[in-house]
């Protein structure tokens, strides 16, 4: 379980996912191409059955379990829980998803709708992780980690295969960065196929656990705060076995974007590309639109999810103020 995945594992995961969680669209963004000066493509993981890329890793992990297990559990900021719930339902397994109080209610409701039980408590993903481990010990459930697991990383890595098979000329991949399962998997696959490709991890500038850990040279804890990119919240685990090392070795750089820049990118994706997506989905756009990242050739980013609070989304795209915990994010209409 602590062995780092390889390209062979990612290829094997593709066979597991075929027809269930693969082949999402890759579409051009004329607006982002104009703003960046290069071909800019969007990998639409929001087209997954659960609305997010997390289904890939969760399904690959759950499908690998033997028959007769008591069930599965996980901690989640929302989308991984949906993936585990969906995969468990396919196998007729019990699923218990542990989440902190920071997870938006819309995501909790979506997980319950898939048939999973939800345990809500604590103020951080680390506390939710403690509850998941208690369930493993007390009830014999099998934990499906949200990112630090070779089967999960391999599942997410199938996105990297699909990107380069569709566009071998891609020079840069902009990948949302949280616990590192997506970034590690995509970078592992992409660099195995095209060693010179540039892979950039992007996160919000408050509570970015992987960025803080990479800067410290070891996994560290960070304070979790409410963010438009809530799916990128949570720690990487002080006992992180895989994703810290993979991100350290494979990511070319990490860029942080502000809440204001995430808001502007959500508006741009909605008004210019007519897509409704989570704040975590647009951090790649935010890095370009803010001028924090420049491109020299074709690039792609991953639009990772559409599981969001539509009332808040409506406020964001119509330029209204939004409250993020103890902070007021002032509204700003698109284009002003």
């Amino acid at each position: 379980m602590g062995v780092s995945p390889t390209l062979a594992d990612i290829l094997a995961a593709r066979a597991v996912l075929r027809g269930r969680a693969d082949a999402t669209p890759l579409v051009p963004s004329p607006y982002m191409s104009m703003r960046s000066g290069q071909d800019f493509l969007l990998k639409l993981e929001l087209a997954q059955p659960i609305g997010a890329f997390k289904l890939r890793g969760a399904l690959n992990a759950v499908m690998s379990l033997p028959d007769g297990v008591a069930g599965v559990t996980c901690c989640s900021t929302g989308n991984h829980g949906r993936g585990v719930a969906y995969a468990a339902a396919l196998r007729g397994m019990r699923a218990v998803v542990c989440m902190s109080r920071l997870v938006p209610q819309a995501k909790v409701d979506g997980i319950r709708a898939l048939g999973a039980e939800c345990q809500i408590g604590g103020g951080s993903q680390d506390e939710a992780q403690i509850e998941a481990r208690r369930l493993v010990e007390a009830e014999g459930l099998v934990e499906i980690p949200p990112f630090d697991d070779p089967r999960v990383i391999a599942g997410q890595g199938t996105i990297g295969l699909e990107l380069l098979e569709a566009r071998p000329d891609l020079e840069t991949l902009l990948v949302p960065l949280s616990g590192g399962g997506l970034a590690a998997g995509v970078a592992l696959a992409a660099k195995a196929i095209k060693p010179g490709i540039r892979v950039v991890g992007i996160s919000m500038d408050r509570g970015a656990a992987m960025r803080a850990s990479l800067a410290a040279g070891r996994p560290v804890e960070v304070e979790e705060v409410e963010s438009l990119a809530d799916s990128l919240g949570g720690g990487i685990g002080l006992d992180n076995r895989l994703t810290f090392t993979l991100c350290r070795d494979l990511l070319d750089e990490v860029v942080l974007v502000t809440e204001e820049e995430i808001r502007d990118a959500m508006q741009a994706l909605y008004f210019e590309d007519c897509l409704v997506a989570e704040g975590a989905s647009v951090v790649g756009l935010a890095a370009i639109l803010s001028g924090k990242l420049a491109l020299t050739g074709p690039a792609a980013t991953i639009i990772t999810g559409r599981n969001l609070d539509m009332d808040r989304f409506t406020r964001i795209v119509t330029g209204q103020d939004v409250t993020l915990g103890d902070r007021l994010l002032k509204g700003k209409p698109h284009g002003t």
Side-chain angles (χ1 to χ4, degrees), residues 71-97:
V72 294
T73 187
C74 68
C75 70
S76 174
T77 55
N79 287 330
H80 177 62
R82 285 177 79 103
V84 170
Y86 186 96
L90 285 180
R91 292 203 59 184
M93 290 179 175
R94 179 189 179 204
V96 183
V97 179

Side-chain angles (χ1 to χ4, degrees), residues 255-277:
V255 174
L256 301 182
V257 292
T258 67
E259 298 298 323
E260 290 80 6
E261 290 160 353
I262 295 170
R263 173 204 62 206
D264 294 349
M266 291 177 77
Q267 292 179 342
L269 188 66
Y270 177 73
F271 285 106
E272 306 297 341
D273 289 296
C274 302
L275 291 172
V276 173

Side-chain angles (χ1 to χ4, degrees), residues 50 52-55 58-59 62 72-89 95-99 103 107-108 110-118 125 144-147 156 231 307:
I50 66 159
F53 80 92
K54 287 283 192 177
L55 181 57
L59 191 60
V62 170
V72 294
T73 187
C74 68
C75 70
S76 174
T77 55
N79 287 330
H80 177 62
R82 285 177 79 103
V84 170
Y86 186 96
V96 183
V97 179
C98 304
M99 292 172 283
V103 175
K107 292 191 174 183
V108 177
I111 291 168
R112 287 195 172 121
L114 291 168
E117 303 165 39
C118 293
Q125 177 139 326
I144 308 296
F147 50 85
Q156 322 304 27
S231 292
N307 301 313

Side-chain angles (χ1 to χ4, degrees), residues 202-243:
I202 308 170
S203 194
M204 68 287 199
D205 67 351
R206 302 190 306 156
M210 183 61 80
R211 175 63 182 85
S213 297
L214 293 173
R218 58 181 174 80
V220 297
E221 292 180 337
V222 297
E223 180 184 359
E224 289 185 49
V225 297
E226 193 171 346
S227 171
L228 294 180
D230 56 86
S231 292
L232 301 184
I236 71 166
L238 295 181
D239 58 349
N240 187 288
R241 301 163 300 163
L242 299 172
T243 60

Side-chain angles (χ1 to χ4, degrees), residues 5-163:
T6 65
L7 180 60
D9 295 317
I10 297 172
L11 292 169
R14 177 162 65 175
V16 173
L17 303 186
R18 187 167 293 123
R20 295 189 180 108
D22 62 340
T24 52
L26 180 65
V27 301
S29 170
Y31 176 73
M32 290 302 301
S33 297
M34 180 270 293
R35 290 294 301 267
S36 66
Q38 304 291 338
D39 282 356
F40 196 97
L41 297 112
L42 310 174
K43 179 66 166 166
L44 301 184
E45 285 296 293
L46 49 70
Q48 289 283 4
I50 66 159
F53 80 92
K54 287 283 192 177
L55 181 57
R56 293 179 185 254
L59 191 60
N60 190 48
V62 170
M63 296 304 287
S64 74
L65 297 176
D67 293 334
V69 301
V72 294
T73 187
C74 68
C75 70
S76 174
T77 55
N79 287 330
H80 177 62
R82 285 177 79 103
V84 170
Y86 186 96
L90 285 180
R91 292 203 59 184
M93 290 179 175
R94 179 189 179 204
V96 183
V97 179
C98 304
M99 292 172 283
S100 81
R101 292 187 297 269
L102 291 177
V103 175
Q105 188 62 41
K107 292 191 174 183
V108 177
D109 293 342
I111 291 168
R112 287 195 172 121
L114 291 168
E117 303 165 39
C118 293
Q119 298 273 19
I120 312 297
S124 71
Q125 177 139 326
D126 288 337
E127 291 180 45
Q129 176 68 62
I130 292 170
E131 175 61 14
R133 288 179 178 165
R134 186 194 70 79
L135 289 168
V136 170
E137 294 295 326
E139 301 187 25
L141 302 182
V142 176
E143 184 181 1
I144 308 296
F147 50 85
D148 199 35
D149 179 277
R151 302 159 302 179
V152 171
I153 295 168
Q156 322 304 27
T158 59
I159 297 173
L161 297 180
E162 292 177 20
L163 282 167

